[in-house]
Each structure stands twice: as C-alpha cells, then as structure tokens.
C-alpha cells in the first residue's frame, strides 16, 4: 500500500519499469520471409530434415491464409516482410552450459527485471529457462531435474537430444494449419522451452521461463512443448517483458501441452510485454496460441494468466478434454489501460465422459482500453455427464473504455450441464467512500478493490507470482484513477 | 472545555432538496452526544456529511473539527485526523480481506501522523485482543470485508475497526438498528471502552435502548433538518415514552 | 438465384417502388447470408436460394378454410386474417375508431407515399432487404396520441396451400406519444409444403408509449419462418415483446431494439421448442443509445430429437449512455442425445456506469426437483414431462393477459413429449 510519504509526482511519472535496452551484438538475419529464411533458421539450428520439411509445410500453408479479423480488435496491418525472423545473442553458438557461462550483461538484464537468477533459483527452488529474443540462453537446475528424470531444456536442445519426442508430439495439439499465427510460428519459430515429465514423477520444483523481446524489428516466435506422462505432475511459470519502442513488435508464440493418464499440468503466465505509451504508440502485438490436450483419463490442465502488458493481446489458452474424467481450468485477469486492446478467453472442448471445466475470467478496462472476453464451451455428443462452470466479470474504470463479453456455449449432450454467469459494472461509490473513510487515498482504495476483484485468480498463482501480479496491477493502473 | 466539533448554521441539500436547514451543534472533548429523531429528519445526512460523502451539497454553514475547517478536507484526510464513521449500512468489498483493510487503515493514519507503521506481529496481537472484545471469531480476519456477514456481524465489524483506529471523534450512525440484545451489549461495551477525556462521540439513533447502555452527556432531537430540542439523558427517556409526536406538538405550540 | 421471378408485378407507390428496386439490387449483390457470417453461425438458410418460390397465386382462401386452424381464444378488438399470402377481408374484422387506425396494405399502398418508414436496420439486414424487395401484404397500425387500445389487435397469417409460396408480410406499427396498444401476430399452417414466410415488423414508438407485441409461430413442419422485428423507442417508451416459436422446420427471429432516448425500456421474453427435427434461432440485439435505459431478456429453449435451439442475445451500451441496467437470461434444456443447444449471450459496453449481467445454462432437469415430485407419488416419466413443461411455461410469466397466457400454455404443453402423462394427473 502506498503511503503519504511517497512523492505523488513520482508515481504519476512512473513509466514502464522494464523499458531498458540491453546492448549485445545480435546475430540477425535480414528482415523478410521466404523459404530461404526458413531453411536458414533450420540450418542455423542444425535441425533434422523432418523439422525443416515441417516448417516449410507450415509456411506454404500460411501463404494461403488470411489474418483473422473476427476478434474485437483494431489491428494496424502488419508487414511480415519487415520483420527479422532470427536474432540470437552473438555468443549463442557456444551455448552456455551453466549460469557462469551466461553473458553477465544478460544476467544484469534479468536483475533489472526483478528476477535475480541465482538468488531466485536458489531461494525459491525455481529452475529458470530464460529466452532472450529467440534463443534460450540459460537453464538452471538441470542436474537436479535430471536426477528425477525430468527433461527441461530449450526447444533447440530438445531437437538435438530428444528428436523422437519432438517428432511424436510437436504439432499434435496445435496443428500447423490451426490458425494464421500458429502457422507462421510453425514456419519460423526459433526457440522456446521443452519439458518432459516421465511416468509417475512429481516435478521436484516449479519450472520457470522468462521471455523477453530485446532487438528492434524482431518478432519473437517461441515454441513451448510440455509433455506430462502418466501420473506425473508439473507446475510451469512464464513471465514476459519487452523494452519500450515506438513501433509495434510481433510476438506469436505457440504453447502445446499434453497430459496423459492421471497427469497434471499447471501453467501460469504473468504477461507484461510493453503495452505502448499513453498515446497508444508502440507496444507488443501478442498473438499467441496456447492449447492443452488432456489426452488421458483423469488428466488435468490448468491455465492461469495475468495479462497486463502488450498493445494488443489475442490469446485463448484452451483445453481439449479427451480423457474420461479429465479436468480443464482457466483463470484469467486481463487489464487494459491507455490504448491497450485485449481479446482473450478460452475454449473448453469436452469430448471425454464426465469431463469438467471451470472458467473464471476477470477483465479490467481503464483509460481508452478495450477488453473482450471470448470463450467457447463445447460439449460433444460423447461427453456424457460433462460439466462446465463459467464466471466472467468485467470492471470499468472511466467512461472512455470498453468491456465486452462474447461467450459461445454449444451443447450436444442432454446430461451435460453448462452454467455461465457474467457481470459488468464499475467500482461502486459506496465502496470507495467506505475505504476513504478508513483513511485510504482514492488510488489506494481503487488498487485494493481491483486486487480484491482479481483475488479468485491470483490465489491460483504460485506465491511469488501472486505478489508480482498484484504489484503489476497497481503499476498498470497508474493514471487510471481520479 | 475544549471544543472537538462545532457545527454552525449548516445547510445541506441532496438533488436540490434541502435536508439540513441551519443545524447548530457543539461537542466538547470527552463528551458523548446522542442525536435522535424521526425517520427522514436528516440524521444520516449529518453523519455522511461529517465523513465527507460527495453526494451532498453544502449550501452554507461551517464545521470546525479540532480547529480545522472540516469541510475543506478529503474523506481520507478526515479519517486520518481521527474522525471515524460507523456506517449504518457497511458496504461489502468482494475479495478484499478484512485484515488487509484494517492494517492499511491503521497504517494510513499512523503514516499521516509520522508514527511508526505497525508491523505484522504487533498488528496481529492488537487485532486479536480487539476481536475478543467484540466477540468476533478470528476467521473473520480472512474473509472479505463484510461479504456474507449478517447484519449484526457487520455492525460488530464496524466497532472492531473503531477500536483499532482509536478515533478522536466517532460518529455512530444507527449502529443499534437490527441488533439483538446480546449484540447491542457487545457494541455498547466496545464504545464505552473508548470513553476518554480527549475523545468525543456522536451517537445517531432512533431508539432510546442503546442510550441505556451508552449514557450520553447530551441528547438532541433532530427534526426537519434542525436541532429542535436538547437536553440531558432524561430527554431520551421522555422521547421513548411520549414519541416524536410529542416534540412536534410542543414545537407547534411554540411560536418561532 | 430463384428470386428473380418474384420481382415483378408488385404493388406499391412510386416511393415504395424506388425502395424495392434499391433493396432488390442490394440483395442480389449480397445474396443470402451464409454460416461464415458470424450472425448466421448456427443457422443455414442459403438453401432457400435454390427453391423456386411463388407469390400468392392461389385464390384467396374462404373463411371456411381459415377456420381450420387453431385460433387464439382471445377477444381481439380488430382481427386481420391473411391466407396463403393474401389478405382475407371476409375473415377479418376491422374496428376503426378514433383510438386506432388499422389498414391492411392490400388496399392502402398509396398511404405509403413516402415509402416504408423503415429503419436503417431493415435495409442493413439481408432479410429486411428481401422483404422490402418482395413484400406484397401486411398492415399499418397507427395509434394516435394519448390513445389506449384496451383490446388486442390480432394478425393471423395462415399457410394452407401446398404450393411453395414465399410470403413476405410487412407490418408497420406506429405509436404516437403516450399511447398504448397490444398487437398479437399468429403464424399458423397445416401445410406440408416448403413455404417460406419472411416477415418484417417495423415499430416506431414515440415518447411515453407502451407496446406489447406477441409473436406466436406454429407453422407446418416443412415451413421456413424468418422474421425481423425492429423497434425504435423514444423517451420513456416501453416495449414488451414475447416470442413463442413452436412450429416450422426452421425458425429464425431477429429482434433489434434501439433504446434511443432517456428512460426507454424493453423486455423480451419467450420460448422456443424445436422438438421434432426442427431448428429455432432467436437473435436479439439491444442498443442502449441513451442514458437511464433498461433492458431485460428472458428466454427458454428446449431441444428434442434431431433438433437445434439457438439463442444469441447481444446488448450494446454505447458511449455516454450512463446509468444502464441490462439483464439477460438464456436457460435451455436438451431432451435427447441428438439435440443441440447453442447459446451466445453477449455484452458490448462502452460506458462505465452500468449494471449489466447475463446468465446462461444448458442442461437437464434438476434431479432434486425430479426426486421431490417422485417422492410425492408422481412417476418419473410424468415428473419429467411436468418439469419440462414448467421450464418452458415460466417464460409466460411476463404476459399479463390471462386468456392469452392460458392459450399459449396449452400450445406449449401440446408440443412437448409425454404431455398427456401429467395432464391426466392435473
């Protein structure tokens, strides 16, 4: 809680705290996209032929597709030929084997982001896989994880060391033809994370990745694949930031999760890409395809996201509930301030018997922000006894913003039950007055009430992320009150 | 005796409709004043205006609180200067836990006064003690502010906040309404424990029964936006026996 | 497209002719909507373009024929009957008075000297264009200032022909300031022909007016029924609309309400019962364009074997439209494994001082309710049938006219499976 002693002017002036640029020589391919660029990326990474062909197939299909226009978003046209599709830190060729080998400047970057790798890793028992622009630069705790049989490495490493797993699972949850941005990602992805939890293993620590877009005119196209084998359990955290730049930058990631029988994956995201300035200049286009496949019986996939950054967010972390008694969850907080736009939500596709899903979505709109929830709950004829519960609340701060709700419910089972509730309102004057009568400033009262509004989602986050998320909300709401 | 609060010729309107029409009141430090009156007489308006609610238009008059112009202060400034309002209808704030609000409020006041902030340990000790006093179980600390509380629990929660904040001037707006005998006793016990020569209270109520437990120094009758009659605690008793019509008839008989 | 043949020998005024030409050309360019259009995601009507429809060519039906259908047992002040796409004066009773004016279009095209009053929405909607281009029947109802019409005005559209008719009625309702009226439109037919009714109802409500509008659709099981209602409400006007879709192979209601001025309010309610290989879609859009406007939607859907029920309710609160209350409820039951319900309650909000909510459920009957009835000695089949009926019936609570409510309740009961199981008990 801010106190009187804080200089108000300082608070108002506080800008995007993560907006610094690290000066590292980039190994960058010239802007533009064609088959040669794709072959270059694939060759640069020493990929097997099947992957090169897979990329080309995706690219050729992408050429036949059109960017989606159904979302409640106003997107300036993107020149895909102006983007550079590969930017690796110079010393990536002799990839660091441990933290000590990581460029100290990079480590400094993470310090500024508030994730002191050493400390955080040691104190919190978190293994961090940090993706800087396109290439994974550091992975910690490999030894401890290896003892448990857990594979946690950069996607590139997995391609080299575990091609059979890549071949078996890549693109099986999000096919290359799935959508425009997924096809693009499949063609040009440079790196990302790979996780495999063997049968019966409970991952001994939370796995974490920090993504950061640094170079100008680069897109970040990371690819994450997590496989939880039978009876295993993993909790994965993902954080994102990018420096301030005038122009928009594209981030089009694909995340695929596979949960086999009795496996559980918990995937948490705190997304704080650069949102653009007060006038809506710059900021990241965050067009992400995230999908989990509950393939096994009693498998469970839980998405938690806190989306405060990006100029435009287009993402729908989804669950395909194939397994009998499988469970899908989606907990989301999305905040749009200034000229940010978000169209986000989830899809819960119920295929398995007695599959269950829960959706809790909290949208906060401030400034000129536009915030849309878009969700699909589909009950297939095979999903006997399926259940869904959706609660979708929107909070409006100011009369220039928008809050929108577009739920799609499609049921084809008489014994399934789907419930959807949604509300839209502003903070009541009575609540504000009550808090101020107890001595809180209006700004503090708003922050407190907004955090309370998000509580059901924040409580799903691991502890250290929950605190970060709360602070992020307060920073992101600055200037939205009064 | 030093004046805690002085209200001079206060006129207040809501949506152009006059509610308070020239109200005068002086409360000295250490005193408890009861304000009684029929429904719609302006009792709650007075309480809300003192706390700084914005929906009220102050058309004229002055309010001085501890030598400061109260009407110039923001609601939170009044709170930090020691003015506390126990709400008639405490609002629910989903997701915000009670302990959090309490601590934030205590520290906001301390920070404003240049006092050291309360740490987690000290806070828990203090709050546990106070909760025992108003017979609220500790699980309430972790529930959302007033959410799912019964009417009586909400009122006891208001008194708990008052005990934690130790205000110089407490305004209790119909804190007795909807309370059973036991809850009434608990609330009164909390209020009486705060009695102090440097602290004043204004108890707004419709009924005399609370005033059996919190014995006022002065009793005022508010009718049609003005204080029409003042007296000692006997006046409350008389009102209880004879009803507000008695005041009205008496007033009608008195030429103004 | 098969529609060319319909575009000839149409009645009208010169203004109407110009509108028809414009609408026809626009429609021919745009064509019928497809499922790629978000608004038609769940309902496919493009096959209509393949059918060789004809205007009403059959001789006007006799009163005897008209008597075959299942009329609503209500005491109507005026009744207009249309059979097979033609006005049937011998079956109609028009009670012109100083309180209301009811004109069948058949003999009153010249009254439309300025063309159809229209709403931009009618001309923006694909079915509005079709209707504007081809309409050949309908009525104008005008209620003068301060008039209160205390008996309902009934319009019956009967399809008794075996021809593949395209019937395109146009109804224009104008309520002057502080007037009130109730209009009931019944579409009925026993025909097994694949006829198509495409109705447009334009409602213009002046300040302080109140309209109750009830739509009852019980056409034959081969019929396609599409219907667009547009209403624009001025200050403090109130619109209460009930939509009951019981018949037809495919039924689609588009209801678009504009709350244009301070204090205007709308309630929309209804039930749709696609039970026997039917498809019913209710598509609602409410625009809150002014402050202090309120809306309430309450729809119940029940889908039986090989049937599909669709609800799409959209509430838009425009910028500066503050102090808005908008509620939506869409509750649905599936009776069979081959049934489908799709519901999409949407909110689009650009103002902050609002209280908007929606709720949607899709599922089966409450087991506790079932158990309760069974514990009172009602067998399971009867209990299920009774609860299913009760589920649909609750949409009638908005209707004040008891005779109408009872009549609709009976119609609903008859459509539902196993209704005789519990009716015997009551």
């Amino acid at each position: 809680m801010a106190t009187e002693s804080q200089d108000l002017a300082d608070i108002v002036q506080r800008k995007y705290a993560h907006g610094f640029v690290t000066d590292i020589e980039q190994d960058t391919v010239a802007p533009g996209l064609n088959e040669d660029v794709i072959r270059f990326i694939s060759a640069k990474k020493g990929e097997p032929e099947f992957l090169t062909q897979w990329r080309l197939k995706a690219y050729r299909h992408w050429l036949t597709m059109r960017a989606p226009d159904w979302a409640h978003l106003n997107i300036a046209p993107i020149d895909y030929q102006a983007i550079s599709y590969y930017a690796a830190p110079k010393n990536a060729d002799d990839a660091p084997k441990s933290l000590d080998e990581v460029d100290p400047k990079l480590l400094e970057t993470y310090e500024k982001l508030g994730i002191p790798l050493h400390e955080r890793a040691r104190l919190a028992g978190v293994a961090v896989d940090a993706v800087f622009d396109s290439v994974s630069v550091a992975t910690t705790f490999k030894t401890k994880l290896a003892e448990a049989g857990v594979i946690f490495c950069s996607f590139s490493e997995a391609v080299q060391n575990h091609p059979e797993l890549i071949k078996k699972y890549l693109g099986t949850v999000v096919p290359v033809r799935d959508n425009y941005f997924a096809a693009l990602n499949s063609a040009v992805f440079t790196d990302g994370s790979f996780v495999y939890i063997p049968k019966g293993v409970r991952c001994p620590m939370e796995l974490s990745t920090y993504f950061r877009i640094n170079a100008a005119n680069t897109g970040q196209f990371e690819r994450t694949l997590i496989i939880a084998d039978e009876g295993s359990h993993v909790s994965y955290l993902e954080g994102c930031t990018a420096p301030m730049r005038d122009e928009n930058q594209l981030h089009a990631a694909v995340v695929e999760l596979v949960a086999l029988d009795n496996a559980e994956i918990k995937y948490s995201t705190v997304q704080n890409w650069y949102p653009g300035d007060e006038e809506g200049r710059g900021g990241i286009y965050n067009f992400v395809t995230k999908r989990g496949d509950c393939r096994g019986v009693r498998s469970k996939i839980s998405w938690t996201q806190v989306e405060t950054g990006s100029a435009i967010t287009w993402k729908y972390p989804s669950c395909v509930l194939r397994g009998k008694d499988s469970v899908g969850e989606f907990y989301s907080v999305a905040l749009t301030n200034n000229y940010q736009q978000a169209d986000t939500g989830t899809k819960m596709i119920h295929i398995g018997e007695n599959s269950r899903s829960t959706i809790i979505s909290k949208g906060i709109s401030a400034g000129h922000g536009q915030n849309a929830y878009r969700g699909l709950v589909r009950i297939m004829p095979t999903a006997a006894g399926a259940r869904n519960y959706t609660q979708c609340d929107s909070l409006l701060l100011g009369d220039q913003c928008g809050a929108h709700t577009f739920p799609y419910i499609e049921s084809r089972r008489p014994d399934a039950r789907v419930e959807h509730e949604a509300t839209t309102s502003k903070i009541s004057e009575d609540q504000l007055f009550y808090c101020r009568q107890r001595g809180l400033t209006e700004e503090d009262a708003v922050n407190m009430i907004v955090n309370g509004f998000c509580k059901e989602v924040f409580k799903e986050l691991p502890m250290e992320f929950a605190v970060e998320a709360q602070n992020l909300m307060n920073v992101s709401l600055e200037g939205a009150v009064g | 005796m030093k004046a805690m609060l002085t209200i001079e010729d206060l006129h207040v309107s809501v949506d152009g409709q006059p509610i308070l029409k020239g109200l005068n009141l002086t409360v000295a430090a250490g005193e408890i004043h009861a304000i009684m009156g029929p429904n719609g007489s302006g009792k709650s308006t007075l309480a809300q205006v003192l706390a700084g609610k914005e929906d009220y238009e102050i058309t004229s008059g002055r309010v001085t609180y501890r030598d400061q112009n109260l009407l110039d202060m923001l609601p939170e400034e009044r709170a930090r200067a020691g003015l506390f309002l126990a709400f008639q209808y405490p609002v629910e704030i989903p997701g915000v836990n009670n302990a959090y609000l309490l601590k934030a409020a205590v520290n906001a006041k301390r920070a404003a006064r240049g006092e050291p902030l309360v740490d987690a340990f000290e806070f828990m000790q203090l709050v546990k003690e106070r909760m025992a006093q108003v017979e609220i179980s500790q699980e309430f600390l972790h529930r959302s502010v007033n959410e799912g509380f019964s009417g009586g629990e909400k009122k006891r929660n208001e008194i708990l906040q008052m005990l934690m904040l130790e205000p110089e001037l407490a305004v209790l707006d119909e804190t007795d309404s909807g309370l059973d005998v036991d809850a009434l006793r608990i609330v009164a016990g909390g209020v009486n424990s705060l009695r102090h020569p440097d602290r004043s209270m204004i108890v707004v109520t419709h009924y005399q029964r609370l005033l059996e437990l919190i014995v006022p120094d002065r009793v005022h009758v508010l009718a049609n936006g003005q204080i029409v009659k003042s007296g000692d605690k006997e006046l409350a008793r008389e009102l209880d026996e004879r009803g507000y019509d008695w005041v009205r008839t008496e007033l009608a008989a008195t030429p103004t | 497209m098969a529609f060319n043949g319909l575009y000839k020998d149409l009645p009208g005024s010169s203004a109407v002719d110009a509108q028809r030409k414009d609408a026809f050309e626009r429609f021919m360019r745009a064509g019928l909507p497809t499922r790629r259009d978000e608004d038609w995601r769940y309902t496919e009507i493009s096959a209509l373009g393949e059918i060789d429809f004809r205007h009403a060519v059959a001789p006007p039906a006799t009163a005897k024929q008209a008597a075959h259908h299942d009329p609503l047992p209500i005491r109507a002040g005026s009744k207009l009957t249309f059979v097979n796409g033609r006005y049937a004066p011998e079956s109609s009773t028009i009670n012109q008075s100083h309180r209301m004016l009811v004109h069948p279009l058949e003999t009153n095209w010249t009254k439309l000297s300025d063309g159809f009053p229209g709403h931009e929405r009618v001309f923006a909607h694909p079915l509005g264009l079709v209707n504007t281009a081809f309409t050949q029947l309908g009525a104008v109802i005008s209620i003068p200032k301060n008039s209160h019409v205390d008996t309902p005005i009934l319009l019956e559209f009967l399809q008794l022909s075996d021809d593949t008719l395209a019937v395109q009625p146009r109804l224009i309702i104008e309520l002057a300031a502080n007037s009130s009226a109730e209009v009931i439109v019944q579409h009925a037919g026993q025909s097994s022909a694949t006829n198509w009714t495409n109705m447009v109802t334009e409602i213009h409500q002046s300040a302080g007016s109140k309209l109750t509008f009830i739509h009852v659709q019980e056409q034959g099981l081969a019929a396609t029924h599409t219907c667009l209602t547009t209403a624009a409400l001025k200050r403090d006007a109130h619109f209460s609309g009930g939509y009951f879709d019981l018949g037809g192979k495919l039924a689609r209601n588009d209801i678009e309400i504009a709350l244009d001025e301070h204090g205007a309010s709308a309630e929309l309610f209804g039930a749709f019962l696609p039970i026997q290989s039917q498809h019913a879609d209710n598509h609602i859009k409410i625009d809150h364009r002014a402050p202090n406007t309120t809306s309430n939607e309450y729809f119940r859907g029940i889908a039986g074997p090989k049937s599909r029920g669709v609800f799409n309710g959209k509430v838009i609160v425009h910028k500066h439209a503050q102090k808005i209350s908008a509620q939506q409820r869409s509750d649905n039951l599936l009776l069979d494994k081959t049934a489908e319900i799709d519901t999409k309650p949407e909110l689009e909000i650009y103002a902050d001082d609002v209280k908007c909510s929606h709720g949607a459920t899709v599922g089966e009957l409450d087991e506790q309710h079932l158990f309760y009835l069974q514990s009172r000695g009602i067998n399971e089949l009867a209990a299920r049938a009774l609860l299913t009926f009760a589920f649909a019936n609750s949409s009638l609570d908005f209707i004040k006219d008891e005779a109408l409510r009872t009549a609709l309740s009976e119609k609903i009961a008859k459509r539902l499976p196993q209704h005789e199981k519990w009716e015997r008990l009551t």
Side-chain angles (χ1 to χ4, degrees), chain A residues 348-366:
Chain A
M348 293 289 173
I349 312 295
H350 290 257
I351 299 169
E353 238 176 272
N354 290 320
S355 50
R356 282 163 290 146
S357 63
T358 303
I359 299 170
I360 307 287
S361 166
K362 305 280 177 177
I364 299 131
S365 311

Side-chain angles (χ1 to χ4, degrees), chain A residues 430 434 436 438-439 455, chain B residues 53 76 80 85 158 161:
Chain A
D430 286 345
Y434 189 84
R436 293 176 74 188
R438 296 303 179 251
K455 193 177 191 175
Chain B
K53 182 101 202 235
E76 57 268 37
R80 293 165 189 190
L85 170 64
E158 293 293 288
Q161 293 182 0

Side-chain angles (χ1 to χ4, degrees), chain C residues 273-284:
Chain C
L273 313 176
I275 301 290
Q276 308 167 61
S277 303
Q278 293 167 276
H279 182 110
D281 180 353
N282 282 289
H283 225 78
I284 298 164

Side-chain angles (χ1 to χ4, degrees), chain A residues 1 3-4 428-431 433-442 448-449 451-453 455, chain B residues 52-54 75-76 79-80 83-85 87 91-92 94-96 100-101 105 108 146 158 161:
Chain A
M1 189 77 18
T3 62
E4 274 312 79
S428 84
E429 293 299 329
D430 286 345
Q431 288 176 338
F433 181 61
Y434 189 84
C435 294
R436 293 176 74 188
Q437 211 304 302
R438 296 303 179 251
L440 308 187
T441 62
E442 191 167 353
M448 192 172 82
I449 293 166
N451 273 305
F453 174 77
K455 193 177 191 175
Chain B
K53 182 101 202 235
E54 277 147 9
E76 57 268 37
R80 293 165 189 190
L83 189 150
F84 179 90
L85 170 64
F87 285 79
V91 70
E92 298 184 1
V96 173
Y100 188 81
L101 174 66
N146 292 321
E158 293 293 288
Q161 293 182 0

Side-chain angles (χ1 to χ4, degrees), chain C residues 104-419:
Chain C
L105 276 177
E106 184 107 351
T107 50
N108 289 280
W109 288 100
T110 49
K111 287 213 161 54
L112 295 177
S113 53
D114 295 328
F116 298 112
H119 292 297
E120 57 186 85
R121 291 234 177 118
V122 175
F123 301 111
H125 197 285
L127 297 178
L129 290 178
V130 172
N131 180 281
T132 303
F134 306 127
T135 181
Q136 72 281 49
L137 72 162
V140 178
I141 298 172
S142 304
I143 313 297
K145 215 168 164 179
N146 301 323
S147 291
H148 300 283
V149 183
D150 46 18
T151 48
I153 301 162
L154 175 66
L155 284 85
E156 298 176 321
F157 293 88
L158 309 178
Q159 312 303 341
L160 308 170
S161 160
D162 288 330
D163 289 319
T164 49
L165 299 181
V167 182
Q168 310 268 346
R170 182 77 154 229
L171 172 61
I172 298 159
I173 304 175
E174 293 168 325
L175 273 78
N178 300 313
S179 65
S180 68
E182 178 176 2
V183 176
I184 300 170
V185 178
Q186 184 190 21
H187 296 272
Q190 293 137 354
S191 154
S192 57
T194 54
N195 58 58
W196 175 26
T197 301
N198 177 47
M199 177 151 177
V200 168
T201 304
E202 302 176 16
I203 296 166
H204 305 263
Q205 284 190 246
S206 298
S209 63
K210 291 185 168 51
L211 176 68
T212 300
F213 180 81
I214 307 290
H215 158 105
V216 183
Q217 186 271 112
E218 31 187 353
Q219 290 199 229
L221 288 176
T224 297
H225 185 94
T226 54
C227 159
L228 168 66
T229 308
T230 62
L233 278 72
K234 301 283 192 243
R235 195 180 174 95
D236 297 324
H238 178 69
F239 174 78
S240 173
Y243 288 79
F244 297 88
D245 275 278
L246 310 175
K249 177 181 168 55
L250 185 149
R252 158 93 176 202
N253 285 312
D254 283 82
I255 306 160
E256 307 201 340
I257 311 289
L259 302 171
D260 284 336
E261 291 185 5
H262 189 282
S265 60
E267 67 181 13
L268 290 167
F269 53 93
F272 48 103
L273 313 176
I275 301 290
Q276 308 167 61
S277 303
Q278 293 167 276
H279 182 110
D281 180 353
N282 282 289
H283 225 78
I284 298 164
K285 186 150 106 185
I286 298 182
D287 278 283
H288 288 262
R289 294 187 192 276
N292 290 83
T293 49
T294 59
S295 67
N296 186 16
E297 292 167 55
Y298 185 95
F299 277 78
R300 296 247 148 154
I302 299 178
K306 296 190 179 121
S307 298
R308 191 169 187 184
V310 181
F311 175 83
N312 187 144
K314 183 174 222 161
V315 170
I316 304 173
V317 176
H318 293 261
K319 214 169 191 171
H320 310 307
Q322 299 289 16
K323 304 208 180 300
I324 301 300
S325 161
Q327 322 292 333
Q328 282 177 313
R329 269 231 75 86
S330 160
D331 295 314
N332 304 277
L333 272 186
L334 285 167
L335 300 182
D336 190 84
K337 277 192 270 194
T338 56
E340 174 165 354
I341 289 282
D342 305 302
T343 177
K344 196 173 160 223
E346 302 175 274
L347 298 170
E348 221 176 291
I349 295 167
Y350 301 91
D352 64 334
D353 195 356
V354 300
K355 279 205 171 70
C356 299
S357 70
H358 64 223
T361 59
V362 185
E364 56 179 349
L365 293 169
D366 190 318
E367 289 297 326
Q368 285 180 9
H369 294 174
L370 263 182
F371 179 74
Y372 183 82
L373 290 185
Q374 287 177 265
S375 74
R376 294 295 175 267
I378 301 171
N379 73 48
E380 193 194 331
L381 210 55
R384 276 189 188 281
L386 175 58
L387 287 172
T388 304
F389 165 71
F391 180 85
N393 213 32
S394 72
S395 61
L396 297 172
D397 292 349
F398 292 84
I399 296 179
K400 289 177 196 80
D401 180 338
E402 202 180 325
L404 178 62
R405 200 168 58 227
T406 309
L408 284 172
S409 183
E410 281 166 11
K411 284 181 187 295
I412 286 173
K414 270 185 214 149
R415 291 277 166 177
L416 292 169
Q418 316 282 356
H419 63 91

